[in-house]
Amino acid sequence: MNAIEVRDLRKEFKEITALDDVTLRIKEGEVFGLLGPNGAGKTTLIRVLVGLIKASSGEAKVFNLDVNENIMEIRKRVSLLPQDCQTYEKLTAFENIFYYGQMHGTLSDEDLRKRTNDLIDLIGLRGRENDLTKHFSGGMKRKVLVARAVVMDPDLIFLDEPTTGIDVLGARTVRKLIKELAGMKKTIILTTHDLNEVAELCDRVGILVSGELVAIGTPKELEEKFKQANLEDVFVALSTGEEG
Amino acid sequence: MSYKKQIFTLIKQELRQAFRTKNIYLVILVMPLFLWGLQSGIMYFTSETIDSGYEGKDLYFLNTDEGNTTTNLGEEINQVLSLLTTMNESQMYKVNVIDLSSILYHDINSDGIYDLIKENDYSPLVFIPNNFTSLYSSFNVSDGEVLIPEVSVYYLPADNYFGMAIKNTIDGIVYAPPFTMVSYEKVTSTKIEMVTFEGEENAESMIGFITFLSVMLALIAPASYVTASFAGEREKKTMESLLVLPMKRIDILIGKLIAGSFLAVLFSAVNLIGVAFFSFTVNSSTVLSDDAGFELSPAIYLMIFVVMLFTSFAALGLGISISSLMSDQKTAETTYMLTMILPINIVGLIVLLQGVPETLSWLYLIPWTHSMAVMNKGVFPKTYANSSLTGSVTLDIVFHLGVLLIFVIISMVVASKIFDREGVVSN
Ligand SMILES: Nc1ncnc2c1ncn2[C@@H]1O[C@H](COP(=O)(O)OP(=O)(O)OP(=O)(O)O)[C@@H](O)[C@H]1O
Ligand SMILES: [Mg+2]
């Protein structure tokens, strides 16, 4: 079954065409990498899929439900880590994660408490869980945010640049967490500018350039199709139009 | 899990953060208590210095009383007053009483007195009218027509406290022998009047001041919460993660509003403590208590509370709109404050004018004008009886509260519309 089904999706902001007739399918359980240069429309696509903004035209379905009609049903199974999102600095790590789960409202307090504690162990913040996140490093905050995005045990997780701006070790923990989620058959949509990360984590990738989906497939397929040695060369070739 | 619980968690999350924010304490607790404390301090220390006496100050005395065959009561007052200036325990100790009677102004009318005072700086001036003794002697309660003999104390604004002290002293004199009124058959009264220069009418009363400070605080108080909760969350992109929850946007707004309202209630209550402290200081000062002193009944406290609440709710609505349009907290805070400066000025103007003059009735378009009107009319129902809009002061108060309520509703609806825009999710 498809987790996401998008057909001829368009989004225009005044003169800017952020999404230019995008058509794409993502299966349940897939880890899908959304690539593209700055301003390509990655965040916009995610926002349409979670109902934060409305598409100008086209169709978008999540778990076979139309985003314009059944967004509340969709949101019960979906979660998002927004790009550049920060923690609530005046809340502790535990509160950041636990309250978000409570507001999501799909799990009991008991389950949430257990999951929050498990996640704190998983991201290596045991012992710091009752500290305000104000005092955390950038990497620690990001780990809290990823934990926060998965605490309600969603089936589909959008991670908009979860490893951007943190150090190697922090990024590694986040990747480890993503792998674990993938192992649990969660569908994950990941945007990133790190192509090694994509190669490591993603089953398939889609490359957006100026709102257009210019390529889609497994990393291997794309290398073969565009006759490039690696994914980075494919990316450069597609986003600039020149040979790598 | 029920839907209500999600909103409840949101409220809890908002309040937890608020109570861990220094600014909020500053605004909700420190600002009102500090400001009222400061005002109380100023009142207290000025009255302290005043209470300590007026040694060396000049007091002018003009007796135009013609007396009768046996006595001249004006002269008797003059003598008691002079005696008091030699008595250590009197407030009038070592005050120079300058008798203007020798200069003779026997037919002086009130305009003449004002000019006399203004031109020669004869302030403060105790004035005894020419028929004082005769009115006093012929006065009889059983007569239908009652003309009360009256001593007047005039002073220029700079002699405010000295004038009040003199009035208290004269009161003491006329209520004691030979003016004793054992059976209240004989009555005298003391009138006090500030002589003001044109255009400088000092219209500010204590209540006006309390009202002004309260409304001003109510307008400023929501700023730090509302800008953090809306513009701050947008700036930090946490707003996006809130908005993708399976909660309706309106419920997220309601949760934040309930948290904000809770803070507004808390703030209004703290403000009442400030007001109570202020009125206590003013009333416990012997000089001020007589004329500037005021009774704040529980009803008035309740009214101040309700008006502040309505005022800050409306400000909350305005704040949400502003904060949902601004992409960062600092800009939102600055814009909020700039937006509030005008209404605060207008509130101040209304204090100065002691109400909204008929020619400026467009001022009623500004909602906080109604906050002021409720307070003024509630505290001085008699003063405003003649100028009431609806024919009755009580109805007026209901009307003004109604307008405020309508504004609260409108500001909330506008806020919810703005919050519902796609633009709330910003780049
Ligand atoms: N609310 C908005 N109003 C106007 N233009 C917008 C808005 N949101 C996005 N855009 C424009 O749409 C285009 C796509 O933006 P988007 O944020 O989706 O890109 P992105 O691929 O996520 O880029 P990045 O890698 O920098 O995050 C950009 O040109 C951006 O300026
Ligand atoms: Mg983006």
Side-chain angles (χ1 to χ4, degrees):
Chain A
M1 192 177 136
N2 288 324
I4 291 172
E5 208 177 333
V6 166
R7 201 175 311 141
D8 297 330
L9 200 66
R10 251 190 120 68
K11 177 66 185 178
E12 279 151 11
F13 298 106
K14 291 183 188 129
E15 290 99 68
I16 299 164
T17 305
L19 293 176
D20 193 352
D21 295 332
V22 173
T23 298
L24 126 124
R25 270 195 209 91
I26 296 168
K27 286 194 286 293
E28 272 187 58
E30 248 190 299
V31 178
F32 189 88
L34 203 49
L35 301 183
N38 291 131
K42 305 179 291 293
T43 301
T44 305
L45 177 59
I46 292 175
R47 283 177 175 172
V48 171
L49 290 171
V50 295
L52 278 174
I53 57 178
K54 286 212 165 14
S56 312
S57 66
E59 197 183 53
K61 283 183 173 174
V62 176
F63 296 124
N64 240 353
L65 298 167
D66 192 293
V67 291
N68 287 323
E69 286 154 24
N70 288 306
I71 195 63
M72 284 302 156
E73 281 310 302
I74 293 173
R75 284 180 183 170
K76 282 181 190 160
R77 300 178 60 185
V78 165
S79 100
L80 162 71
L81 170 57
Q83 186 175 356
D84 301 326
C85 182
Q86 295 175 35
T87 57
Y88 290 112
E89 295 199 329
K90 301 278 161 48
L91 297 181
T92 65
F94 185 90
E95 288 166 341
N96 262 286
I97 301 168
F98 183 70
Y99 287 170
Y100 195 65
Q102 273 193 326
M103 285 190 287
H104 196 271
T106 41
L107 293 184
S108 71
D109 280 1
E110 237 169 286
D111 290 348
L112 276 176
R113 203 172 295 279
K114 188 176 174 307
R115 280 187 64 84
T116 305
N117 279 318
D118 290 349
L119 282 164
I120 283 170
D121 287 331
L122 198 65
I123 57 178
L125 286 180
R126 179 60 60 206
R128 301 295 304 271
E129 71 270 26
N130 292 324
D131 291 354
L132 299 188
T133 58
K134 185 162 95 179
H135 308 299
F136 281 14
S137 72
M140 289 159 80
K141 286 181 190 168
R142 192 65 60 84
K143 288 189 239 173
V144 170
L145 286 168
V146 178
R148 182 175 182 255
V150 299
V151 67
M152 71 297 280
D153 200 15
D155 297 321
L156 169 59
I157 306 154
F158 292 95
L159 300 169
D160 200 349
E161 303 198 12
T163 53
T164 304
I166 58 174
D167 69 15
V168 179
L169 293 176
R172 182 177 276 220
T173 323
V174 171
R175 279 200 293 273
K176 202 178 109 202
L177 193 62
I178 295 173
K179 273 187 204 153
E180 254 175 77
L181 293 166
M184 291 187 267
K185 293 284 161 233
K186 304 286 178 193
T187 312
I188 298 166
I189 315 296
L190 172 76
T191 80
T192 177
H193 293 289
D194 180 344
L195 296 170
N196 293 327
E197 187 170 295
V198 174
E200 182 185 342
L201 296 172
C202 297
D203 304 321
R204 282 200 308 153
V205 294
I207 301 180
L208 273 174
V209 177
S210 305
E212 254 183 283
L213 188 68
V214 293
I216 185 165
T218 64
K220 260 251 122 35
E221 282 169 6
L222 294 187
E223 282 161 22
E224 280 164 18
K225 184 172 174 195
F226 294 95
K227 301 189 178 62
Q228 303 288 348
N230 55 46
L231 203 53
E232 184 171 313
D233 290 344
V234 174
F235 183 84
V236 172
L238 288 171
S239 17
T240 60
E242 57 187 62
E243 300 281 305
Chain B
M1 203 198 294
S2 78
Y3 205 57
K4 279 198 198 90
K5 179 148 186 209
Q6 290 170 257
I7 299 181
F8 178 73
T9 304
L10 176 60
I11 297 168
K12 190 167 69 177
Q13 169 170 306
E14 294 281 317
L15 290 176
R16 275 252 156 117
Q17 293 182 79
F19 286 121
R20 286 173 189 165
T21 306
K22 275 195 218 91
N23 270 1
I24 301 251
Y25 286 99
L26 216 63
V27 169
I28 289 191
L29 292 173
V30 182
M31 189 169 74
L33 293 181
F34 172 76
L35 278 182
W36 288 115
L38 188 74
Q39 299 307 332
S40 304
I42 292 170
M43 293 306 286
Y44 182 77
F45 286 111
T46 41
S47 65
E48 269 289 274
T49 15
I50 293 151
D51 269 347
S52 64
Y54 300 92
E55 281 187 37
K57 280 196 160 258
D58 293 341
L59 183 166
Y60 297 88
F61 195 90
L62 177 53
N63 179 22
T64 62
D65 188 11
E66 281 156 3
N68 60 20
T69 44
T70 50
T71 179
N72 183 315
L73 292 175
E75 193 44 40
E76 287 194 34
I77 292 176
N78 190 4
Q79 275 162 21
V80 181
L81 198 58
S82 300
L83 187 67
L84 286 175
T85 63
T86 63
M87 288 162 66
N88 206 347
E89 66 274 21
S90 164
Q91 276 203 312
M92 294 298 119
Y93 183 61
K94 285 196 174 163
V95 165
N96 307 321
V97 179
I98 300 170
D99 195 348
L100 298 176
S101 313
S102 54
I103 319 172
L104 280 185
Y105 290 90
H106 279 271
D107 314 315
I108 202 152
N109 61 12
S110 56
D111 282 347
I113 289 204
Y114 294 157
D115 291 341
L116 184 73
I117 293 168
K118 286 187 207 173
E119 279 159 27
N120 304 293
D121 226 349
Y122 288 157
S123 164
L125 173 75
V126 177
F127 177 77
I128 317 277
N130 58 7
N131 55 359
F132 187 75
T133 307
S134 75
L135 272 183
Y136 188 81
S137 327
S138 62
F139 181 85
N140 193 333
V141 178
S142 48
D143 285 358
E145 210 157 305
V146 183
L147 269 179
I148 301 171
E150 198 170 58
V151 180
S152 299
V153 179
Y154 298 97
Y155 62 92
L156 294 170
D159 293 317
N160 199 350
Y161 295 125
F162 192 20
M164 288 181 201
I166 293 166
K167 190 217 176 256
N168 290 345
T169 307
I170 303 275
D171 276 346
I173 296 174
V174 296
Y175 293 150
F179 301 94
T180 329
M181 291 149 292
V182 180
S183 57
Y184 288 95
E185 272 167 7
K186 300 284 184 203
V187 176
T188 39
S189 85
T190 326
K191 190 178 88 177
I192 183 158
E193 191 172 330
M194 193 197 293
V195 179
T196 54
F197 293 92
E198 214 145 311
E200 286 187 6
E201 286 81 4
N202 187 340
E204 195 186 79
S205 67
M206 289 288 176
I207 296 282
F209 178 70
I210 287 183
T211 313
F212 174 63
L213 199 50
S214 298
V215 171
M216 191 186 85
L217 286 171
L219 289 180
I220 293 175
S224 72
Y225 168 73
V226 83
T227 54
S229 178
F230 289 86
E233 285 227 30
R234 291 183 72 207
E235 186 180 353
K236 299 197 168 99
K237 309 281 174 197
T238 47
M239 188 63 99
E240 259 174 78
S241 55
L242 269 189
L243 296 177
V244 295
L245 288 167
M247 276 172 94
K248 291 200 204 91
R249 258 190 210 193
I250 186 75
D251 289 320
I252 292 174
L253 184 66
I254 287 172
K256 282 172 173 280
L257 258 177
I258 293 175
S261 309
F262 180 84
L263 294 172
V265 171
L266 190 68
F267 164 72
S268 303
V270 172
N271 187 63
L272 285 191
I273 298 173
V275 171
F277 180 64
F278 179 69
S279 91
F280 173 78
T281 316
V282 170
N283 285 329
S284 60
S285 137
T286 52
V287 179
L288 296 171
S289 59
D290 223 46
D291 293 278
F294 45 88
E295 283 298 312
L296 291 182
S297 64
I300 292 180
Y301 277 110
L302 183 68
M303 198 175 64
I304 296 177
F305 183 76
V306 169
V307 169
M308 288 198 66
L309 216 54
F310 276 50
T311 309
S312 36
F313 280 167
L316 212 57
L318 202 65
I320 294 172
S321 306
I322 291 172
S323 304
S324 304
L325 289 170
M326 303 296 151
S327 53
D328 67 284
Q329 195 177 341
K330 278 265 161 356
T331 318
E333 241 165 26
T334 314
T335 314
Y336 182 93
M337 287 305 177
L338 286 176
T339 316
M340 286 304 173
I341 283 179
L342 184 69
I344 287 172
N345 270 321
I346 285 165
V347 168
L349 181 75
I350 290 162
V351 173
L352 219 62
L353 299 173
Q354 287 194 314
V356 176
E358 262 170 52
T359 48
L360 294 180
S361 52
W362 58 267
L363 285 178
Y364 277 124
L365 289 175
I366 296 158
W368 331 119
T369 309
H370 297 275
S371 314
M372 294 300 292
V374 174
M375 297 272 235
N376 283 335
K377 292 181 182 180
V379 179
F380 306 114
K382 290 195 193 100
T383 310
Y384 289 91
N386 293 326
S387 59
S388 74
L389 300 167
T390 58
S392 118
V393 170
T394 319
L395 263 183
D396 265 21
I397 291 177
V398 174
F399 165 75
H400 292 301
L401 281 176
V403 175
L404 267 180
L405 189 65
I406 290 171
F407 184 78
V408 169
I409 293 169
I410 292 176
S411 76
M412 294 297 174
V413 170
V414 170
S416 72
K417 291 272 180 269
I418 291 180
F419 189 64
D420 212 26
R421 282 164 55 251
E422 219 169 65
V424 163
V425 182
S426 66
N427 259 29

